[in-house]
Amino acid sequence: MPPLLKIFEKFHELPNHVPGKQVRFFVLINYSCLIAGLFHFAFIWVFALLDLHLLAVYNVFSSVLWGACFVLNLQGRRVVHILLANAEVLAHAALCIAVLGWHSGFHYYVLTIPLIIFLSPWKLGRKIGLCLFNCGAYALMYYWAAPFPAATGRLAAYISAFNYFNIFAIFFCTAILAFYYRRAVLAAEEKLEIEHQRTTRALVRLNQNLSDAAVYVQTILPEPIQEGPLRSQWGFIPSESLGGDAFGYNWLDDDHFAIYLLDVSGHGVSAALLSATIMNVLRATSLPGVDFREPDQVLSALNRAFPSEANNDMFFTIWYGVYNQRTRHLAYASGGHPPALLLEQSARREGQSHRLGTRNHIVGGLPNSAYRQKTLFIENASFLYVFSDGVYEFVHSNGRRWRYDEFIRYLDDYHSDSDNDFEKLIDAIKQLNRSDVFEDDFTLLRVSIN
């Protein structure tokens, strides 16, 4: 690369402490300082040839000052170089007016200052203040130059030539500025469009991955049981973002039937995959040395097997129960999960409903947590409702957020009616939510114990 082009590469190297969004203004000032410095350097010889020695000497100083402004801009000291450049333009215009008069046209350059100021990264108040200052300075120069007599002779011809040149120079500089910024804007829009398309493609892939993960989670959910002494129904409605709810049930042997529902913290693919992994462990009863008929052992083993620090700081809540159909005892334990509800199928009477929960810590939170279980004798045919907090934690149609106790009362009242249709229950909750999609995963499991 030629040495000259290597110099111009420096014009585009933004200092480390200057924000990247200011790169266009940084490059603009570099080229503006270069053009201004060359103009003033050329005017040294023009004024010297015309015997305007004061203006020639001043342009020597101006050329050095514009070089200093260029260096200051390369260093990222944008406040200092803008103020110096502003002062030079005003001083140059005032000196030329004093020597050549108003009609020489050097005051036109003051009119370009607001354009530069409003393209700068300064705050709006500072921009307005500096523009008002320049406006006042321009008005004072006009007021000061008005009484000056018009030049005659050879000087009048020079002044007319300067005026036409300065008109051309202002149009040229403004056109260059507009051209540069239009090109910069078009380049930014093109880059933005490319990034938008890249982001759109990434979102499409992400949505496809989320969809695949949601399909996988639903494939491991059990089929409803429609015949036999134990029957099951469930409703699972994923939220808009993939969550961590999962549930299952299976026979451990001829007498023991396991029921479980868990909710992994957070949303997204990580939560869904951790939930699916835990589900597969429970379904395959693959925790070594654990009696899956004992809920406290299961929760303790899960707490050891899935510590939050090994799973991206995710933990989970769980309700786990085992029903012995021979003795009609239900052993259960919950780890930070909403208590399940047992409702007898017979007519409503005192002691018919039971909240089944234990005061245990969330699973995966503390490595040495101890878990306790409870046992309940189920004398009569009953409904066992197990659910996640997404079933009731939403804004009710009355404008208030539903709570656990309110949901339990609603479920109890619904159960007391003659119609215990499960699908109608889910539809009724959807109406209270005023949407078919809930804030969190909706998981409601009902096991009928006959």
Side-chain angles (χ1 to χ4, degrees):
M1 181 179 292
L4 184 61
L5 293 181
K6 288 185 178 180
I7 295 176
F8 283 109
E9 279 187 350
K10 195 73 175 177
F11 287 23
H12 299 262
E13 295 178 4
L14 192 68
N16 294 332
H17 60 281
V18 177
K21 63 182 180 181
Q22 297 178 13
V23 63
R24 287 192 292 273
F25 184 74
F26 171 80
V27 176
L28 172 68
I29 292 300
N30 283 335
Y31 283 103
S32 298
C33 290
L34 176 65
I35 293 173
L38 292 175
F39 265 86
H40 285 81
F41 183 76
F43 272 121
I44 295 174
W45 312 105
V46 172
F47 288 139
L49 289 173
L50 298 177
D51 296 329
L52 299 171
H53 302 297
L54 178 61
L55 293 179
V57 171
Y58 177 80
N59 275 269
V60 173
F61 165 76
S62 295
S63 300
V64 174
L65 187 143
W66 281 103
C69 289
F70 174 76
V71 173
L72 289 171
N73 188 54
L74 289 179
Q75 295 175 351
R77 301 172 67 180
R78 52 191 181 278
V79 175
V80 178
H81 79 69
I82 289 178
L83 293 178
L84 281 177
N86 194 160
E88 195 284 325
V89 172
L90 291 176
H92 190 272
L95 185 60
C96 287
I97 291 171
V99 175
L100 300 174
W102 180 263
H103 297 292
S104 62
F106 284 95
H107 53 84
Y108 297 148
Y109 296 98
V110 179
L111 300 178
T112 64
I113 293 177
L115 183 61
I116 299 295
I117 291 174
F118 275 97
L119 290 175
S120 73
W122 285 359
K123 293 182 179 179
L124 181 60
R126 182 181 292 181
K127 293 178 181 179
I128 293 175
L130 192 55
C131 283
L132 289 176
F133 172 78
N134 282 277
C135 180
Y138 190 87
L140 286 174
M141 282 190 286
Y142 178 77
Y143 177 78
W144 172 54
F148 288 4
T152 57
R154 189 180 68 163
L155 186 60
Y158 296 157
I159 291 174
S160 179
F162 282 135
N163 184 53
Y164 284 116
F165 173 81
N166 289 327
I167 291 174
F168 168 79
I170 291 298
F171 272 92
F172 173 78
C173 292
T174 305
I176 289 295
L177 182 64
F179 171 79
Y180 170 77
Y181 257 81
R182 180 180 181 276
R183 189 176 66 176
V185 169
L186 290 176
E189 289 180 349
E190 182 180 357
K191 184 177 179 181
L192 183 62
E193 178 63 24
I194 293 173
E195 291 299 323
H196 173 69
Q197 293 178 3
R198 184 181 293 120
T199 303
T200 300
R201 290 193 296 268
L203 286 174
V204 170
R205 290 194 299 269
L206 177 60
N207 288 331
Q208 183 60 49
N209 291 337
L210 290 174
S211 178
D212 293 343
V215 170
Y216 171 70
V217 170
Q218 294 190 46
T219 58
I220 66 174
L221 298 179
E223 293 290 334
I225 302 175
Q226 299 177 352
E227 296 180 352
L230 297 178
R231 302 183 183 185
S232 67
Q233 295 172 282
W234 51 264
F236 176 67
I237 306 173
S239 62
E240 290 182 338
S241 58
L242 187 63
D245 280 14
F247 62 92
Y249 40 79
N250 55 275
W251 287 98
L252 300 175
D253 53 37
D254 292 340
D255 292 327
H256 295 86
F257 185 74
I259 306 162
Y260 39 88
L261 191 151
L262 59 96
D263 182 3
V264 175
S265 61
H267 293 87
V269 175
S270 297
L273 293 181
L274 178 58
S275 175
T277 302
I278 300 168
M279 279 288 296
N280 288 328
V281 168
L282 293 174
R283 186 170 56 180
T285 62
S286 58
L287 292 169
V290 175
D291 186 351
F292 278 81
R293 295 171 297 183
E294 301 297 334
D296 58 343
Q297 292 188 32
V298 174
L299 267 60
S300 297
L302 289 174
N303 188 61
R304 293 190 300 269
F306 297 97
S308 61
E309 59 269 19
N311 291 285
N312 198 26
D313 292 329
M314 292 185 295
F315 56 86
F316 61 95
T317 66
I318 186 171
W319 190 96
Y320 185 92
V322 178
Y323 176 68
N324 188 329
Q325 68 171 351
R326 183 173 55 83
T327 64
R328 301 188 65 81
H329 282 89
L330 175 66
Y332 61 91
S334 58
H337 201 82
L341 181 67
L342 184 76
L343 297 172
E344 294 184 8
Q345 295 184 27
S346 58
R348 189 174 186 182
R349 64 179 184 274
E350 188 67 24
Q352 178 192 10
S353 64
H354 304 272
R355 300 187 185 187
L356 309 182
T358 55
R359 293 182 178 274
N360 291 321
H361 201 268
I362 57 175
V363 181
L366 296 175
N368 298 317
S369 293
Y371 292 89
R372 297 178 298 275
Q373 68 181 42
K374 292 182 180 180
T375 303
L376 176 70
F377 176 69
I378 302 178
E379 182 179 1
N380 302 304
S382 303
F383 288 125
L384 174 63
Y385 289 92
V386 189
F387 43 85
S388 64
D389 55 9
V391 172
Y392 58 85
E393 285 189 348
F394 59 84
V395 178
H396 194 279
S397 55
N398 59 14
R400 294 188 302 105
R401 185 169 289 275
W402 231 13
R403 299 184 182 278
Y404 173 82
D405 289 337
E406 294 172 308
F407 170 68
I408 292 300
R409 286 196 296 269
Y410 179 85
L411 200 57
D412 205 356
D413 291 340
Y414 178 85
H415 175 74
S416 66
D417 294 337
S418 58
D419 188 359
N420 289 325
D421 186 87
F422 186 71
E423 296 298 330
K424 288 184 179 180
L425 170 63
I426 294 178
D427 289 338
I429 298 176
K430 287 180 181 179
Q431 290 180 4
L432 294 175
N433 182 50
R434 295 171 296 179
S435 173
D436 289 343
V437 179
F438 290 76
E439 296 179 21
D440 199 357
D441 286 353
F442 176 104
T443 308
L444 178 61
L445 168 64
R446 183 171 80 174
V447 178
S448 303
I449 303 174
N450 297 321

